[in-house]
């Protein structure tokens, strides 16, 4: 079916050899194939303004960032399967998008082409919940990144984990390939508040998010909250982890808070990139600007 407004599972494809004006086409809506990605409603249902550049109040989206829709996607080398993370069900999904190792030939998707897999059972500290997002297909495995969100707790409850899904067996390895607390020394993203260091637990209440002073009528939001949003591998096998700041997705640029229109806010994002060197079967987090033999 064609894409519709409010769609959470829409995936498009771009032909990089075609002119830009005609290179992007609709591929699939995962919800049509049975994926439950949560619900957020279209613009009208959320009472959003029609002029997209105007400030707005979007309390529904504020609380559902990282909790509805899809996260990262990646294809298997043969182009037959597309993997994605289901943020609502907190699962790894797989959908067949080709059947002859030739993505240029037509293929009609049916409901049986979509399968979702539970992540390995993981206990998060306190009331925290495991939140997946980033993934990477690499050397016969799908690497899936997630964080223990620490919601309702403290910074000490935050963790980052990377699980591996074997493409041959179609199952997860029970033990994470990488598992670290997110209490490592992380600098501040806003020089006005140098004490605002490290990661913070996931938060859906705007009133407790750190805010700086106004500048030319704009109030600044600075409250780094971790989402393990991407995984890549360097040529030496080092795993590179990209962390997105959830708060930056909740607020945006010169927008109203979910609580009202009295002020305009802009977010100062505080993401991060970490390297984990592979040695003797284990991934070792960088330390003091050194990752294996590589010095920053």
């Amino acid at each position: 079916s064609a894409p519709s407004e409010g769609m959470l599972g829409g995936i498009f494809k771009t032909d990089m050899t075609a002119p830009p004006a005609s290179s992007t086409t609709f591929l699939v809506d995962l919800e049509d194939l049975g994926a439950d990605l949560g619900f957020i409603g279209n613009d009208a249902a959320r009472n959003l303004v029609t002029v997209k550049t105007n400030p707005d109040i979007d309390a529904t989206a504020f609380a559902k960032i990282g909790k509805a829709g899809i996260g990262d996607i990646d294809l298997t080398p043969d182009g037959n399967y597309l993997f994605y993370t289901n943020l609502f069900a907190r699962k790894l999904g797989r959908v067949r998008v080709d059947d002859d190792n030739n993505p240029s030939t037509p293929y009609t998707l049916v409901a049986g082409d979509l399968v979702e897999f539970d992540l390995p059972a993981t206990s998060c500290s306190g009331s925290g919940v495991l939140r997946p997002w980033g993934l990477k297909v690499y050397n016969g495995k799908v690497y899936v990144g997630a964080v223990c969100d620490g919601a309702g707790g403290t910074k000490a409850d935050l963790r980052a984990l990377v699980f591996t899904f074997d493409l041959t067996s179609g199952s997860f390895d029970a033990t994470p390939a990488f598992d670290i607390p997110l209490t490592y020394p992380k600098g501040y993203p806003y020089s006005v508040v140098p004490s605002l260091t490290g990661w913070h637990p996931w938060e859906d209440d705007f009133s407790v998010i750190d805010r700086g002073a106004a500048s030319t009528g704009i109030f600044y939001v600075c409250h780094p909250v971790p989402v393990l949003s991407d995984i890549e591998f360097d040529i030496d096998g080092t795993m590179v982890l990209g962390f997105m700041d959830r708060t930056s997705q909740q607020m945006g640029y010169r927008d109203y808070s979910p609580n009202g229109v009295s002020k305009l806010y802009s977010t100062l994002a505080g993401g991060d990139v970490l390297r984990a060197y592979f040695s003797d079967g284990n991934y070792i987090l960088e330390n003091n600007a050194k990752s294996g033999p590589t010095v920053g």
Side-chain angles (χ1 to χ4, degrees):
S1 65
S4 59
E5 184 190 358
M7 172 179 60
L8 288 177
I11 295 178
F12 298 78
K13 65 177 180 179
T14 299
D15 182 354
M16 301 303 292
T17 66
S22 60
S23 59
T24 299
T25 56
F26 177 68
L27 176 63
V28 63
D29 182 353
L30 299 176
E31 291 177 301
D32 282 347
L33 297 179
D36 185 0
L37 302 173
F39 178 76
I40 194 170
N42 59 25
D43 291 2
R46 294 178 1 238
N47 296 314
L48 302 184
V49 298
T50 56
V51 180
K52 305 301 184 183
T53 55
N54 286 351
D56 216 336
I57 300 175
D58 197 352
T60 301
F62 184 88
K64 292 189 176 182
I65 296 296
K67 299 180 180 181
I70 60 176
D72 202 1
I73 63 174
D74 203 3
L75 287 165
T76 53
D78 58 15
N80 286 347
Y81 291 98
L82 182 145
F83 283 88
Y84 65 92
T85 45
N86 182 330
L87 305 182
F88 177 71
R90 295 183 286 123
K91 294 182 178 183
L92 173 67
R94 184 189 70 196
V95 59
R96 178 185 282 277
V97 292
D98 196 36
D99 63 348
D100 63 356
N101 300 328
N102 184 359
S104 65
T105 55
Y107 178 72
T108 302
L109 288 91
V110 297
D113 286 332
L114 185 144
V115 182
E116 293 190 333
F117 305 90
D118 291 326
L119 298 181
T122 304
S123 296
C124 291
S125 299
S127 57
V129 172
L130 190 68
R131 302 285 182 189
W133 190 299
L135 59 78
K136 177 69 175 181
V137 178
Y138 176 73
N139 277 357
K141 294 181 181 292
V142 184
Y143 289 75
V144 182
V147 298
C148 283
D149 65 13
T154 68
K155 293 182 177 184
D157 296 319
L158 294 168
R159 298 190 69 81
L161 304 97
V162 177
F163 303 98
T164 52
F165 178 89
D166 189 273
L167 291 174
T168 301
S169 66
S171 61
F172 274 101
D173 297 330
T175 303
F178 191 60
D179 181 359
I180 61 165
L182 289 177
T183 51
Y184 64 90
K186 178 179 180 293
Y188 55 85
Y190 188 24
S191 60
V192 176
V193 192
S195 61
L196 192 64
T197 59
W199 291 111
H200 296 259
W202 283 39
E203 185 56 67
D204 294 339
D205 183 355
F206 178 75
S207 66
V208 302
I209 289 178
D210 295 288
R211 297 184 291 279
S215 175
T216 63
I218 305 299
F219 284 75
Y220 288 95
V221 175
C222 185
H223 193 86
V225 170
V227 175
L228 180 40
S229 54
D230 196 18
I231 300 173
E232 296 294 340
F233 288 87
D234 210 338
I235 57 174
D236 64 352
T238 293
M239 184 161 54
V240 184
L241 306 176
F243 288 86
M244 179 174 70
D245 178 1
R246 180 180 184 244
T247 304
S248 70
Q249 303 297 308
Q250 291 175 299
M251 291 302 302
Y253 174 72
R254 297 196 175 192
D255 212 354
Y256 296 128
S257 83
N259 299 341
V261 299
S262 60
K263 299 175 182 176
L264 289 175
Y265 296 93
S266 282
T267 308
L268 295 164
D272 207 354
V273 178
L274 298 178
R275 294 175 64 86
Y277 182 70
F278 188 70
S279 176
D280 295 328
N282 297 300
Y283 288 97
I284 304 169
L285 181 64
E286 63 174 271
N287 183 53
N288 197 27
K290 190 175 187 299
S291 174
T294 305
V295 178

